[in-house]
Amino acid sequence: MRLEREGVSGQRVAYGLEQLTAAWTAAGYRVVTSETPGETNVVHVRLCRSETVPSGSEAFAVRVQPDGWRIEAGDDTGLMYGCLALSEEVRRTGTGPARDLEEKPALRLRGVCVGLQKPTILPGRQVYEYPWTPELFPWFYDRDLWREYLDVLARCRYNTLYLWSGHPFGSVVRVPGYPEGVEVPEAVLERNIEMMHWLARECDRRGIWLVVMFYNILLPQPFAEKHGLPTQLSRPHPVAADYTRRAIATFIREYPHVGLLVCLGEALQGAEHQLEWATNVILPGVMEGARAAGLKELPPLIIRTHATDAERVLPPCFAIYTNLYTMTKFNGESLTTDGVRGRLRELHRRMAAMGPHVVNVHILANLEPFRYFAPEFIQRCVLGMREDLQASGLHLYPLVYWNWPDAPDACEPPLRQWDRDRGWFEAWGRYAWNPDRPEAEERVYWRDRVREWFDCDAATAERFVTAGNEAGLVAPILLRRFGITEGNRQTLSLGMTLEQLVHPERFQPVHDLWECLAPPGWRLQEFVARTMAGEGCPGETPEVARQEAWRRARRAVQLLDGAEGGVCGRKEEFLRWQNDFRALDALARFYDAKTRAAEEVLRFRLDHDPARLERAARALSGSVTAFEELADVAGPAYRFANSLQTGHRRIPWPAVVDGVVTNFHWSHVLPLYRAELREFLDRWERWKRGELGRDQPPPRPWPAAQVRVMGPGAETYEVRPGARPFRDRSYRLVELAPELHGLTGIRFSHEEAKNGRYRPVEFEVDEPVYVMLGLFRDERAIWLQPPNVDAAAHWAEQGSPEPVLRNAARVEQCPVVDVYARRYPAGRNRLEVPGPGSFVVLGVVPASATLTPRDVEDPWP
């Protein structure tokens, strides 16, 4: 085999030739170059430029020649991809293609991300705050690991690698005038700088653009301490602005070919603040850095729409900076549908109309921790992105983001995610390159790939592909029809409580989940109400969803049952796939039983038929039995069910209880489900005896903490019926939960708060406390709204994102009040709130107190 280069060179060409040489050598050929003399009767592979293939397009052609093949492209990247395509054909068939190949990518950007983040929050830090050090991220410094992973990405034809970080600048640049901006030791900083340059070069030789992501406004801890600032700011500050602009400029100058991905939130609140920060700090910093680096063109910059009013903030950004991309999540932080609908569909399309748009397959919270291989569904997803959402790029998360690079399996040594989840990475990469592939050809392609993965016969491989496509819809169907949120708050594989299914409104449900990220259909509450009224329910109903999920899971188990006999390679991994499908089957049966129990309770609340509670009890018992099987199957196989183990995880149970990380494994929550069943049966028996809700003593008042308000504009008051919760209104408390009686509240101007002029109250306490923040349940702009907790992780870390007391109070001429508990340390604090609008403070309670969440007006269930 003779490799000939006709006037082409470069690192990407050299890389392609390395891969091509390895493939021919593995196929039994001796590879020589055009410079090797005395070789006759050899097969030729020639590389050349072609004017018919556009430069910069990554396109290529492999032409069959009488004596071999000719690879043509308009640029080095296209030649590299031509070499990789020919290498793949040689690897599969032992020779080159029998007919010409002509290919070009469907999506301009095709990327994956890696998180320099951890499953838990570091002591003394907040969410997303992780300096880059060998102690926290030893894998970042492992060059062999990087080469292996980058080779996988190149073979899958990914051309972008995103490094996600809260604030990377403190770990990789020295900012002029701000030595306190460095938050790692000097030796580590030097090592990080060297690694960044090395990684950028290694990416570039594989045609991969390295991009670093950062949130706003986050600051290095030493910088924040020196200037008396918190590490995360909700509004711009002049010193923080100057530092951030210089940091961005320095980064661009130091790494001129490394891109930036910007998240204008989550800490930074309000469209006005985000617009100011983007146009006065971030974009000027990039332009300043580009000038300092001598770049002839503005470098591409990507801005996320997450936690941002994109339609207000981004148009002015495009007016200032033309080389912008936008990025929006595909199915939130899960995978639920290939057809995005409603307002989120329109958001994607409006972003795409402004400029190139990237769709972000984000977090995959509902798929954790199991394997995933559903090429038919993935192909439909990419087609939907390109055709309907008008995307020109894909951003893909690994399946277990927070635990990178290790898979969650209970294996020693740990499995690498790109090895365990090769089907995940390959399928998205394949269809981001070209989703227009005939179904019959794809069945054959994936059957052959599975045969390679497991060294198995064709029949076993065919069953595996079918099983993967069946199982791949189980989690999407369950979450979109029964879930609370598509976000990180919920771990689908750990189940849901009866209260969450009967009363999702108590847990800040995300309406986009079923209104935009699901096919047309009905939630459980709507379904019950309509069917009880004799109305039809076209579309995907809860009944259809649970039956479909269970049918698919059972089918996947049946297809692979006994199939290990046809497997000769990587048999342990094949057995792990079988175990995952059995776990999904148990999970589907859990949701089938649990949602039937919830449905009976909802029907009972309408017709009061006691037989419904008996059926609910049987179904609830069946759900516990199914979860016991799930724990037996999945428990020994996995270290955890979810890789994010912070206070942001809330469903089915909080991930942090009394400062201890818990409820991340089936063994943790199984006793809670058993207790839930016992409590339901006990309440049912009390209801049958007529005891439920009768002569029950009211809850005792919560203990009051001492609080001192500092400065003008606010004052304390005793929380009791008849008290005035505002300084400038005569409105009085007319109803009040017993728990709040006698607490010390804080009152301020309703007029200022409702008009967005609230000045954060400064207060002092002698012990850690919870401030009882009362939010009026009304969506009008005059009232402070609870933040979208899936886009404001800091809100969950400061206390429960759900109300601790629903229907807690009523104020004259005002909507009903829900109370949220917000945690503050001992000492002097500022009562910051997540936006404009009026609210009340209904007390301050020691953090040591036990706060039992409840709906004051609803005792059952």
Side-chain angles (χ1 to χ4, degrees):
M1 171 60 59
R2 183 188 296 274
L3 301 180
E4 301 177 2
R5 293 188 286 184
E6 298 180 3
V8 297
S9 60
Q11 289 297 308
R12 296 178 187 179
V13 173
Y15 177 79
L17 287 172
E18 290 173 12
Q19 304 305 306
L20 190 54
T21 298
W24 282 114
T25 302
Y29 290 80
R30 189 169 75 88
V31 178
V32 299
T33 67
S34 56
E35 291 78 23
T36 306
E39 294 288 340
T40 59
N41 298 321
V42 296
V43 178
H44 291 77
V45 176
R46 301 178 179 87
L47 278 69
C48 66
R49 301 279 187 190
S50 171
E51 294 183 359
T52 62
V53 182
S55 177
S57 67
E58 301 178 307
F60 66 87
V62 179
R63 311 281 187 199
V64 178
Q65 303 288 294
D67 58 350
W69 296 270
R70 182 184 182 91
I71 300 174
E72 300 176 355
D75 54 40
D76 287 359
T77 309
L79 290 171
M80 181 194 73
Y81 282 133
C83 289
L84 294 178
L86 183 53
S87 301
E88 177 74 8
E89 190 72 21
V90 172
R91 183 186 58 77
R92 293 178 59 202
T93 66
T95 186
R99 56 185 177 85
D100 291 354
L101 302 177
E102 294 186 8
E103 297 189 18
K104 63 180 180 179
L107 300 182
R108 187 186 311 178
L109 292 185
R110 307 172 304 281
V112 299
C113 76
V114 167
L116 283 139
Q117 300 184 10
K118 305 293 287 185
T120 57
I121 295 175
L122 299 180
R125 293 280 192 164
Q126 296 187 62
V127 63
Y128 303 138
E129 296 180 7
Y130 304 100
W132 299 13
T133 67
E135 292 76 22
L136 289 176
F137 305 108
W139 55 265
F140 177 71
Y141 306 90
D142 188 335
R143 298 190 180 194
D144 289 338
L145 179 148
W146 274 118
R147 290 189 186 96
E148 180 183 339
Y149 183 51
L150 293 175
D151 285 344
V152 169
L153 299 185
R155 287 195 296 273
C156 294
R157 301 189 192 175
Y158 291 109
N159 66 358
T160 318
L161 172 64
Y162 301 88
L163 299 182
W164 280 56
S165 177
H167 185 80
F169 308 116
S171 297
V172 297
V173 293
R174 296 182 182 87
V175 181
Y178 293 103
E180 67 274 20
V182 176
E183 58 180 344
V184 296
E186 180 65 22
V188 174
L189 176 63
E190 290 291 343
R191 192 175 177 188
N192 288 348
I193 292 173
E194 180 187 358
M195 273 301 303
M196 277 291 294
H197 284 296
W198 177 87
L199 183 57
R201 290 193 302 271
E202 289 296 313
C203 285
D204 186 67
R205 73 187 298 260
R206 295 166 175 81
I208 295 171
W209 179 38
L210 182 63
V211 179
V212 176
M213 184 269 187
F214 65 100
Y215 288 91
N216 289 273
I217 303 171
L218 270 64
L219 301 171
Q221 193 173 66
F223 175 94
E225 291 173 352
K226 178 174 179 178
H227 297 279
L229 297 170
T231 54
Q232 302 194 15
L233 301 180
S234 62
R235 60 189 65 197
H237 184 280
V239 176
D242 186 62
Y243 159 77
T244 303
R245 179 182 56 78
R246 293 192 188 195
I248 291 170
T250 305
F251 182 91
I252 297 292
R253 187 181 69 245
E254 179 74 29
Y255 311 105
H257 301 296
V258 175
L260 287 173
L261 168 60
V262 181
C263 182
L264 291 172
E266 299 172 357
L268 182 59
Q269 298 287 310
E272 297 81 4
H273 292 152
Q274 293 178 346
L275 178 58
E276 174 189 345
W277 194 254
T279 56
N280 295 342
V281 177
I282 293 175
L283 297 180
V286 174
M287 291 186 283
E288 180 182 326
R291 288 192 299 269
L295 299 179
K296 296 180 180 179
E297 297 179 350
L298 289 176
L301 183 71
I302 309 172
I303 299 181
R304 297 180 66 198
T305 61
H306 170 70
T308 300
D309 186 345
E311 294 177 68
R312 288 182 60 190
V313 174
L314 287 176
C317 294
F318 274 93
I320 296 171
Y321 196 98
T322 55
N323 199 5
L324 282 182
Y325 287 71
T326 57
M327 178 184 289
T328 301
K329 294 175 182 175
F330 181 49
N331 291 171
E333 296 178 345
S334 292
L335 187 63
T336 59
T337 183
D338 57 323
V340 178
R341 300 187 296 125
R343 76 166 194 91
L344 292 183
R345 174 181 181 268
E346 294 310 309
L347 174 62
H348 280 281
R349 293 170 68 90
R350 283 192 289 268
M351 293 301 103
M354 290 186 201
H357 181 59
V358 180
V359 173
N360 179 358
V361 179
H362 195 81
I363 291 292
L364 295 319
N366 66 322
L367 305 186
E368 282 192 308
F370 304 121
R371 290 155 176 78
Y372 191 92
F373 175 67
E376 288 182 1
F377 184 55
I378 291 172
Q379 184 178 16
R380 294 199 304 271
C381 287
V382 178
L383 282 168
M385 292 174 188
R386 187 192 64 179
E387 300 299 322
D388 193 42
L389 306 185
Q390 302 175 358
S392 53
L394 165 72
H395 172 292
L396 180 70
Y397 262 66
L399 285 171
V400 194
Y401 169 78
W402 300 96
N403 203 56
W404 185 266
D406 296 339
D409 303 73
C411 299
E412 288 297 340
L415 303 176
R416 297 302 195 195
Q417 289 194 42
W418 58 86
D419 187 35
R420 186 194 87 145
D421 299 323
R422 57 183 62 182
W424 173 261
F425 289 104
E426 288 189 24
W428 286 101
R430 178 173 177 81
Y431 297 123
W433 179 269
N434 178 15
D436 302 310
R437 301 176 189 265
E439 179 181 353
E441 291 183 12
E442 290 307 283
R443 292 287 301 186
V444 173
Y445 174 84
W446 289 113
R447 182 198 66 196
D448 291 346
R449 287 299 287 137
V450 172
R451 293 186 68 182
E452 293 177 45
W453 295 345
F454 297 112
D455 189 17
C456 62
D457 57 66
T460 300
E462 185 72 30
R463 290 163 67 183
F464 185 93
V465 173
T466 303
N469 283 324
E470 292 281 5
L473 271 294
V474 173
I477 289 170
L478 290 174
L479 184 73
R480 71 195 188 198
R481 199 48 58 201
F482 301 111
I484 297 291
T485 173
E486 35 66 34
N488 243 334
R489 275 190 299 144
Q490 178 163 3
T491 303
L492 183 80
S493 63
L494 289 177
M496 293 174 68
T497 67
L498 188 63
E499 183 183 16
Q500 288 159 356
L501 290 165
V502 173
H503 291 293
E505 72 280 358
R506 297 177 180 175
F507 299 89
Q508 291 190 267
V510 177
H511 289 244
D512 284 342
L513 173 59
W514 54 91
E515 292 176 357
C516 301
L517 304 177
W522 304 94
R523 297 281 284 177
L524 193 56
Q525 294 72 18
E526 301 168 316
F527 174 70
V528 167
R530 289 178 66 88
T531 53
M532 292 285 282
E535 300 177 22
C537 294
E540 187 177 73
T541 66
E543 181 66 24
V544 168
R546 60 187 172 225
Q547 289 181 0
E548 177 74 1
W550 190 5
R551 182 195 66 77
R552 286 180 172 275
R554 172 54 55 186
R555 174 71 171 145
V557 170
Q558 292 170 342
L559 282 164
L560 289 198
D561 189 26
E564 68 275 10
V567 174
C568 298
R570 301 176 72 239
K571 180 168 283 191
E572 288 186 358
E573 178 62 14
F574 191 89
L575 295 175
R576 286 190 282 263
W577 273 97
Q578 288 180 315
N579 198 70
D580 276 6
F581 288 165
R582 285 194 289 270
L584 277 175
D585 178 57
L587 184 67
R589 285 186 280 113
F590 166 86
Y591 275 100
D592 174 70
K594 197 68 171 271
T595 58
R596 284 191 288 107
E599 183 177 329
E600 292 294 348
V601 171
L602 287 166
R603 293 186 185 280
F604 165 77
R605 294 168 69 89
L606 294 176
D607 66 8
H608 307 292
D609 180 357
R612 296 199 183 279
L613 293 183
E614 183 174 354
R615 290 194 290 270
R618 287 199 301 269
L620 194 61
S621 178
S623 75
V624 173
T625 300
F627 200 88
E628 288 171 339
E629 182 178 338
L630 174 61
D632 288 342
V633 173
Y638 286 101
R639 294 185 173 92
F640 50 79
N642 51 52
S643 58
L644 179 65
Q645 294 159 19
T646 72
H648 189 61
R649 289 279 193 187
R650 304 293 302 177
I651 300 166
W653 277 282
V656 179
V657 178
D658 297 329
V660 177
V661 176
T662 185
N663 295 334
F664 57 80
H665 196 267
W666 300 271
S667 61
H668 298 165
V669 301
L670 176 57
L672 302 179
Y673 283 125
R674 288 169 172 161
E676 179 189 49
L677 174 61
R678 290 194 300 270
E679 181 181 356
F680 183 90
L681 295 176
D682 176 67
R683 292 166 69 87
W684 179 34
E685 289 299 324
R686 289 163 54 202
W687 180 86
K688 287 193 292 186
R689 296 195 299 267
E691 298 174 358
L692 189 64
R694 188 186 68 188
D695 300 327
Q696 297 294 315
R700 296 176 61 84
W702 288 334
Q706 297 296 315
V707 58
R708 297 174 292 281
V709 172
M710 320 299 288
E715 63 188 14
T716 59
Y717 71 100
E718 181 185 358
V719 179
R720 56 177 174 77
R724 293 187 299 108
F726 296 114
R727 289 192 71 178
D728 59 347
R729 289 291 190 274
S730 61
Y731 308 153
R732 297 183 181 275
L733 286 164
V734 293
E735 294 181 23
L736 189 66
E739 293 93 327
L740 303 175
H741 279 250
L743 298 181
T744 300
I746 300 174
R747 58 189 172 201
F748 40 83
S749 168
H750 167 69
E751 188 69 21
E752 291 182 357
K754 80 170 188 177
N755 291 314
R757 301 195 309 271
Y758 165 76
R759 290 167 292 177
V761 174
E762 294 194 11
F763 64 95
E764 190 173 50
V765 289
D766 298 325
E767 60 183 326
V769 299
Y770 285 111
V771 173
M772 300 294 112
L773 194 70
L775 302 188
F776 294 90
R777 200 187 308 154
D778 190 304
E779 294 184 358
R780 288 178 293 166
I782 64 171
W783 304 113
L784 176 65
Q785 302 298 314
N788 175 355
V789 293
D790 296 291
H794 61 284
W795 176 262
E797 294 304 324
Q798 198 188 359
S800 170
E802 304 91 23
V804 68
L805 291 175
R806 286 182 58 83
N807 300 298
R810 293 186 183 272
V811 179
E812 290 176 327
Q813 302 182 42
C814 297
V816 67
V817 176
D818 295 329
V819 165
Y820 296 77
R822 314 309 301 152
R823 185 173 55 249
Y824 289 89
R828 191 160 180 161
N829 296 282
R830 285 166 57 89
L831 182 58
E832 303 271 5
V833 294
S838 190
F839 62 100
V840 291
V841 175
L842 295 179
V844 183
V845 176
S848 58
T850 300
L851 308 181
T852 302
R854 72 183 185 100
D855 188 327
V856 175
E857 295 183 355
D858 191 355
W860 174 274

